[in-house]
Amino acid sequence: MSAKKKILALLLALLMAASAVGCASDNTADGAADTTAPAADNTALEETDPVETEPEYVMWENLPAATLDGFEFKIVEYTPNQDTGATVLHGDATELTGEAINDAIYNRNRAVEERFDVKITTQGEAWGAPSTMTRNNVAAGDDAFSMIMDAPGSVIGVATANNLLNLYNIENLNLANPWYSQNQIENFTILDKLYFWMGDISYSTLMFGACMIYNLGMAERYELPYIYDIVMEGEWTIDKMYEITETVPADLNGDGQFKESDDQFGYACGGSGNLMNFQFSSGENFIKYDKATKSFVDTYNVERMQTIVEKMYKNFHDNNRGINAQDYTALFNDGRVLLRSAYVGSCVNHTEMEDAFTPIPYPKFDTNQESYLSMMTGSVQVMGIPVTVSNPAAVGLVVEALSEHSAGDLNNAVYERVLSYQTMRSEDAVEILKTIHDSLIIDFGYLTATGASDAAKWTVGQLVVEQQSTDVASYWAKIQKTVTKFYEKMITTYEGLN
């Protein structure tokens, strides 16, 4: 059974559990059990074709039957904040606690340790510290860690300083397997080199997918169309967002002003940067690696970006629909906003609110867009292997074993955790979460641009919220040269990497 089928089977089982209680037998009207024997059926059994079944899945059957003689597999990772929903170290758990994600990680690691005779340890550090520690260890020639897990903005600097191994050269590591993000591998392979990866070994790949959170209770009070139907029919677009928020904004205290402390809004962001997701969910980026020319090409489409900015300007400013809130979490919990920018794991911040809610993908550009596109946020943990590891083949084997195991139970545990945040659990919620997961994209430009070069990814927020302008052409003209030079330099850097 595939990992996705396992996930869906588990979640459907959770949904059905409550209804199963008390349904073991039917009773007659007077409460007595019906013991009447069924009438005999003498009809001859018809011959039927044999039912085809999937071959039984065997964990690690494609890995070498090797033992690693007590090899120490050491991980250093950054520890996420409590309000992200990712509160358990990704690399290891020290004991069973009854919490789904913790126990899935604990069982995964103990199974790998027993099967391959290894010892897995994890060290949690502050954001960016694993990357700094790797630089220092490599400079000293120390084999201190087998794998680092840190935010991509930090790891890209470690990679371009020649501190990480090219993953294509590591024995036992098969990056074509489904427990690695094929979208990320494709987009981050430059000059046939790849220095970090995303995949199921890190449950943050599910928790940090960008989404919007939708107040189902408010929608019902305003008699809005059911959002699940809109999403699943492919009708969730930027224009549809404008349509459903039309009647929601309200000056609740009647003072003629719209303030976060007193009033009601259609959409809330927690900083203008949140609006960049509408650029990427519309299928637009600004830089892409061209394998044919072995160079980065400018993909910033001024005309299409102009339309996106104009649409979002209306969504934010018309009838006071939008607000750049100081505390959009509290605003949503108060039931005074229909939609907020978020990521899947941040559903944890709404467990106490009265209204039911659901995560939904960011909207499409229009209905002609083939699918939803959900941005992987910069808080995701990516993995790399330092150049100082003394046994890359052993590291590759352990990574492969951990990743394959994670594709089942750990992914299931993440969905169970996210569903438990909601005030109602339904098959619709399962399908929407699956839609977000299936639509995740990992954009090279978004996750690597730094300094002045990252202005391209902030286009929508800078214009709509900060400048209250729709002049995309002028904005791009000011930054285009800086962005182009940044990626020209990056190609030169990659040419010099191992």
Side-chain angles (χ1 to χ4, degrees):
M1 183 181 291
S2 69
K4 286 185 179 178
K5 287 183 178 178
K6 287 181 181 178
I7 292 170
L8 194 54
L10 172 71
L11 295 174
L12 291 178
L14 290 171
L15 296 171
M16 295 170 64
S19 63
V21 177
C23 296
S25 64
D26 292 328
N27 294 331
T28 59
D30 62 3
D34 185 358
T35 58
T36 305
D41 185 355
N42 297 320
T43 305
L45 295 176
E46 296 182 3
E47 293 185 5
T48 58
D49 294 330
V51 177
E52 293 185 8
T53 59
E54 291 186 14
E56 183 179 355
Y57 178 77
V58 179
M59 180 75 68
W60 303 323
E61 66 177 341
N62 294 319
L63 293 181
T67 58
L68 299 177
D69 301 322
F71 176 74
E72 291 187 46
F73 186 86
K74 297 162 289 187
I75 303 169
V76 59
E77 64 172 277
Y78 89 77
T79 307
N81 296 327
Q82 292 293 312
D83 64 355
T84 64
T87 56
V88 180
L89 286 175
H90 294 65
D92 196 16
T94 57
E95 61 182 356
L96 294 171
T97 64
E99 194 283 320
I101 293 177
N102 177 90
D103 290 0
I105 292 172
Y106 178 89
N107 290 328
R108 175 197 68 187
N109 286 19
R110 303 299 80 80
V112 173
E113 287 179 332
E114 181 178 353
R115 168 63 180 80
F116 296 97
D117 189 15
V118 298
K119 178 62 177 176
I120 301 170
T121 59
T122 301
Q123 180 176 329
E125 296 288 344
W127 179 299
S131 297
T132 300
M133 294 167 70
T134 300
R135 290 175 183 268
N136 294 339
N137 291 333
V138 171
D142 293 337
D143 179 10
F145 301 106
S146 306
M147 183 175 82
I148 68 165
M149 303 176 71
D150 207 346
S154 298
V155 177
I156 187 68
V158 181
T160 53
N162 236 347
N163 292 316
L164 299 178
L165 289 174
N166 181 355
L167 299 172
Y168 289 113
N169 296 334
I170 296 179
E171 187 179 348
N172 297 317
L173 191 62
N174 184 356
L175 295 171
N177 278 322
W179 34 86
Y180 304 114
S181 168
Q182 298 307 307
N183 179 278
Q184 183 264 333
I185 289 170
E186 171 70 18
N187 290 335
F188 284 73
T189 296
I190 310 298
L191 299 178
D192 300 320
K193 301 171 183 179
L194 180 69
Y195 295 98
F196 59 87
W197 80 96
M198 296 179 193
D200 292 337
I201 194 173
S202 169
Y203 71 90
S204 68
T205 58
L206 298 181
M207 299 293 269
F208 287 110
C211 68
M212 305 187 83
I213 303 181
Y214 186 84
N215 187 323
L216 292 166
M218 178 182 285
E220 186 175 355
R221 291 192 292 275
Y222 278 80
E223 299 181 344
L224 300 176
Y226 187 35
I227 193 65
Y228 170 81
D229 293 336
I230 295 172
V231 171
M232 300 311 293
E233 290 169 8
E235 300 293 324
W236 179 232
T237 63
I238 298 178
D239 289 339
K240 179 63 71 173
M241 177 178 166
Y242 182 81
E243 178 184 323
I244 67 171
T245 56
E246 181 177 1
T247 60
V248 174
D251 177 10
L252 297 179
N253 64 359
D255 66 355
Q257 303 180 59
F258 277 76
K259 296 180 180 178
E260 179 179 347
S261 57
D262 304 310
D263 301 310
Q264 184 171 285
F265 304 87
Y267 164 70
C269 61
S272 60
N274 291 158
L275 272 71
M276 72 176 173
N277 289 289
F278 295 97
Q279 172 182 349
F280 294 101
S281 73
S282 296
E284 290 303 305
N285 49 32
F286 59 91
I287 203 79
K288 197 170 184 66
Y289 176 69
D290 184 351
K291 291 184 179 180
T293 62
K294 296 184 178 181
S295 63
F296 286 103
V297 295
D298 170 3
T299 58
Y300 195 100
N301 187 328
V302 173
E303 182 178 351
R304 190 172 169 96
M305 282 296 302
Q306 180 68 38
T307 303
I308 294 169
V309 167
E310 289 175 357
K311 286 175 180 285
M312 286 310 303
Y313 194 93
K314 290 173 57 180
N315 263 296
F316 203 85
H317 294 291
D318 281 11
N319 191 30
N320 294 285
R321 277 175 165 81
I323 181 171
N324 183 12
Q326 292 294 316
D327 190 346
Y328 66 162
T329 298
L331 187 62
F332 193 84
N333 280 332
D334 285 347
R336 291 189 291 113
V337 66
L338 179 67
L339 281 160
R340 60 155 288 196
S341 288
Y343 49 87
V344 171
S346 58
C347 289
V348 69
N349 298 305
H350 303 305
T351 55
E352 302 301 322
M353 69 181 289
E354 294 182 6
D355 285 334
F357 63 91
T358 184
I360 60 174
Y362 271 86
K364 299 178 183 179
F365 176 79
D366 58 27
T367 55
N368 293 321
Q369 185 173 315
E370 184 176 349
S371 62
Y372 297 105
L373 300 170
S374 300
M375 174 59 62
M376 181 66 73
T377 67
S379 298
V380 67
Q381 296 227 19
V382 299
M383 287 71 70
I385 300 174
V387 295
T388 47
V389 296
S390 56
N391 192 344
V395 171
L397 180 58
V398 177
V399 166
E400 193 71 31
L402 289 170
S403 298
E404 182 174 354
H405 199 291
S406 299
D409 292 345
L410 180 54
N411 281 356
N412 293 345
V414 175
Y415 277 86
E416 181 181 337
R417 163 86 72 83
V418 173
L419 281 176
S420 73
Y421 295 153
Q422 301 182 74
T423 52
M424 72 176 192
R425 182 177 289 185
S426 68
E427 291 186 42
D428 293 352
V430 174
E431 288 300 314
I432 282 189
L433 283 169
K434 185 175 181 294
T435 297
I436 294 170
H437 184 202
D438 291 346
S439 68
L440 288 174
I441 57 170
I442 297 92
D443 184 79
F444 187 88
Y446 162 62
L447 290 177
T448 60
T450 57
S453 67
D454 70 358
K457 67 186 181 186
W458 308 121
T459 300
V460 183
Q462 282 295 308
L463 288 173
V464 171
V465 178
E466 304 298 340
Q467 300 178 24
Q468 297 193 25
S469 166
T470 59
D471 189 355
V472 173
S474 296
Y475 182 87
W476 178 237
K478 292 177 182 177
I479 63 175
Q480 182 178 16
K481 184 179 293 186
T482 300
V483 174
T484 302
K485 285 187 175 180
F486 179 86
Y487 287 99
E488 287 176 350
K489 182 179 179 180
M490 184 171 288
I491 282 291
T492 302
T493 300
Y494 264 81
E495 289 173 344
L497 297 180
N498 297 326

PDB file of all heavy atoms in Angstrom, residues 344-355:
ATOM      1  N   VAL A 344       0.024  25.299   7.616  1.00  0.00           N
ATOM      2  CA  VAL A 344      -0.801  24.229   8.177  1.00  0.00           C
ATOM      3  C   VAL A 344      -0.616  24.090   9.689  1.00  0.00           C
ATOM      4  O   VAL A 344      -1.581  23.971  10.444  1.00  0.00           O
ATOM      5  CB  VAL A 344      -0.505  22.902   7.461  1.00  0.00           C
ATOM      6  CG1 VAL A 344      -1.182  21.731   8.175  1.00  0.00           C
ATOM      7  CG2 VAL A 344      -0.973  22.965   6.005  1.00  0.00           C
ATOM      8  N   GLY A 345       0.633  24.099  10.157  1.00  0.00           N
ATOM      9  CA  GLY A 345       0.895  23.891  11.570  1.00  0.00           C
ATOM     10  C   GLY A 345       0.337  24.966  12.470  1.00  0.00           C
ATOM     11  O   GLY A 345       0.099  24.735  13.664  1.00  0.00           O
ATOM     12  N   SER A 346       0.083  26.160  11.938  1.00  0.00           N
ATOM     13  CA  SER A 346      -0.400  27.249  12.788  1.00  0.00           C
ATOM     14  C   SER A 346      -1.862  27.088  13.174  1.00  0.00           C
ATOM     15  O   SER A 346      -2.393  27.897  13.939  1.00  0.00           O
ATOM     16  CB  SER A 346      -0.183  28.607  12.104  1.00  0.00           C
ATOM     17  OG  SER A 346      -0.836  28.666  10.858  1.00  0.00           O
ATOM     18  N   CYS A 347      -2.517  26.038  12.683  1.00  0.00           N
ATOM     19  CA  CYS A 347      -3.862  25.732  13.169  1.00  0.00           C
ATOM     20  C   CYS A 347      -3.867  25.528  14.683  1.00  0.00           C
ATOM     21  O   CYS A 347      -4.900  25.696  15.341  1.00  0.00           O
ATOM     22  CB  CYS A 347      -4.399  24.468  12.491  1.00  0.00           C
ATOM     23  SG  CYS A 347      -4.804  24.671  10.741  1.00  0.00           S
ATOM     24  N   VAL A 348      -2.710  25.174  15.256  1.00  0.00           N
ATOM     25  CA  VAL A 348      -2.616  24.963  16.699  1.00  0.00           C
ATOM     26  C   VAL A 348      -3.008  26.210  17.486  1.00  0.00           C
ATOM     27  O   VAL A 348      -3.445  26.116  18.641  1.00  0.00           O
ATOM     28  CB  VAL A 348      -1.180  24.525  17.085  1.00  0.00           C
ATOM     29  CG1 VAL A 348      -0.197  25.655  16.890  1.00  0.00           C
ATOM     30  CG2 VAL A 348      -1.128  24.023  18.513  1.00  0.00           C
ATOM     31  N   ASN A 349      -2.902  27.372  16.870  1.00  0.00           N
ATOM     32  CA  ASN A 349      -3.181  28.617  17.570  1.00  0.00           C
ATOM     33  C   ASN A 349      -4.673  28.928  17.681  1.00  0.00           C
ATOM     34  O   ASN A 349      -5.046  29.960  18.252  1.00  0.00           O
ATOM     35  CB  ASN A 349      -2.477  29.777  16.859  1.00  0.00           C
ATOM     36  CG  ASN A 349      -0.974  29.619  16.862  1.00  0.00           C
ATOM     37  OD1 ASN A 349      -0.373  29.462  17.909  1.00  0.00           O
ATOM     38  ND2 ASN A 349      -0.364  29.626  15.689  1.00  0.00           N
ATOM     39  N   HIS A 350      -5.517  28.058  17.130  1.00  0.00           N
ATOM     40  CA  HIS A 350      -6.957  28.329  17.147  1.00  0.00           C
ATOM     41  C   HIS A 350      -7.762  27.222  17.824  1.00  0.00           C
ATOM     42  O   HIS A 350      -8.957  27.080  17.581  1.00  0.00           O
ATOM     43  CB  HIS A 350      -7.452  28.548  15.716  1.00  0.00           C
ATOM     44  CG  HIS A 350      -6.746  29.645  14.996  1.00  0.00           C
ATOM     45  ND1 HIS A 350      -6.670  30.930  15.487  1.00  0.00           N
ATOM     46  CD2 HIS A 350      -6.036  29.648  13.836  1.00  0.00           C
ATOM     47  CE1 HIS A 350      -5.963  31.679  14.663  1.00  0.00           C
ATOM     48  NE2 HIS A 350      -5.563  30.927  13.654  1.00  0.00           N
ATOM     49  N   THR A 351      -7.119  26.464  18.668  1.00  0.00           N
ATOM     50  CA  THR A 351      -7.800  25.320  19.289  1.00  0.00           C
ATOM     51  C   THR A 351      -8.896  25.739  20.258  1.00  0.00           C
ATOM     52  O   THR A 351      -9.805  24.954  20.532  1.00  0.00           O
ATOM     53  CB  THR A 351      -6.791  24.432  20.040  1.00  0.00           C
ATOM     54  OG1 THR A 351      -6.070  25.243  20.986  1.00  0.00           O
ATOM     55  CG2 THR A 351      -5.804  23.800  19.075  1.00  0.00           C
ATOM     56  N   GLU A 352      -8.836  26.955  20.782  1.00  0.00           N
ATOM     57  CA  GLU A 352      -9.795  27.387  21.794  1.00  0.00           C
ATOM     58  C   GLU A 352     -10.930  28.237  21.218  1.00  0.00           C
ATOM     59  O   GLU A 352     -11.848  28.602  21.956  1.00  0.00           O
ATOM     60  CB  GLU A 352      -9.074  28.191  22.887  1.00  0.00           C
ATOM     61  CG  GLU A 352      -7.951  27.432  23.579  1.00  0.00           C
ATOM     62  CD  GLU A 352      -8.439  26.161  24.248  1.00  0.00           C
ATOM     63  OE1 GLU A 352      -9.555  26.178  24.805  1.00  0.00           O
ATOM     64  OE2 GLU A 352      -7.712  25.142  24.206  1.00  0.00           O
ATOM     65  N   MET A 353     -10.899  28.564  19.943  1.00  0.00           N
ATOM     66  CA  MET A 353     -11.938  29.436  19.396  1.00  0.00           C
ATOM     67  C   MET A 353     -13.262  28.683  19.278  1.00  0.00           C
ATOM     68  O   MET A 353     -13.298  27.457  19.146  1.00  0.00           O
ATOM     69  CB  MET A 353     -11.509  30.022  18.057  1.00  0.00           C
ATOM     70  CG  MET A 353     -11.415  29.058  16.894  1.00  0.00           C
ATOM     71  SD  MET A 353     -10.867  29.888  15.383  1.00  0.00           S
ATOM     72  CE  MET A 353     -12.326  30.874  14.968  1.00  0.00           C
ATOM     73  N   GLU A 354     -14.350  29.427  19.336  1.00  0.00           N
ATOM     74  CA  GLU A 354     -15.676  28.822  19.310  1.00  0.00           C
ATOM     75  C   GLU A 354     -16.061  28.350  17.911  1.00  0.00           C
ATOM     76  O   GLU A 354     -16.698  27.319  17.746  1.00  0.00           O
ATOM     77  CB  GLU A 354     -16.708  29.819  19.833  1.00  0.00           C
ATOM     78  CG  GLU A 354     -16.539  30.163  21.313  1.00  0.00           C
ATOM     79  CD  GLU A 354     -17.614  31.113  21.803  1.00  0.00           C
ATOM     80  OE1 GLU A 354     -18.547  31.408  21.020  1.00  0.00           O
ATOM     81  OE2 GLU A 354     -17.519  31.559  22.962  1.00  0.00           O
ATOM     82  N   ASP A 355     -15.731  29.123  16.893  1.00  0.00           N
ATOM     83  CA  ASP A 355     -16.118  28.771  15.528  1.00  0.00           C
ATOM     84  C   ASP A 355     -15.288  27.609  14.990  1.00  0.00           C
ATOM     85  O   ASP A 355     -14.101  27.471  15.300  1.00  0.00           O
ATOM     86  CB  ASP A 355     -15.927  29.971  14.592  1.00  0.00           C
ATOM     87  CG  ASP A 355     -17.004  31.019  14.763  1.00  0.00           C
ATOM     88  OD1 ASP A 355     -18.120  30.660  15.191  1.00  0.00           O
ATOM     89  OD2 ASP A 355     -16.732  32.199  14.468  1.00  0.00           O
TER      90      ASP A 355
END
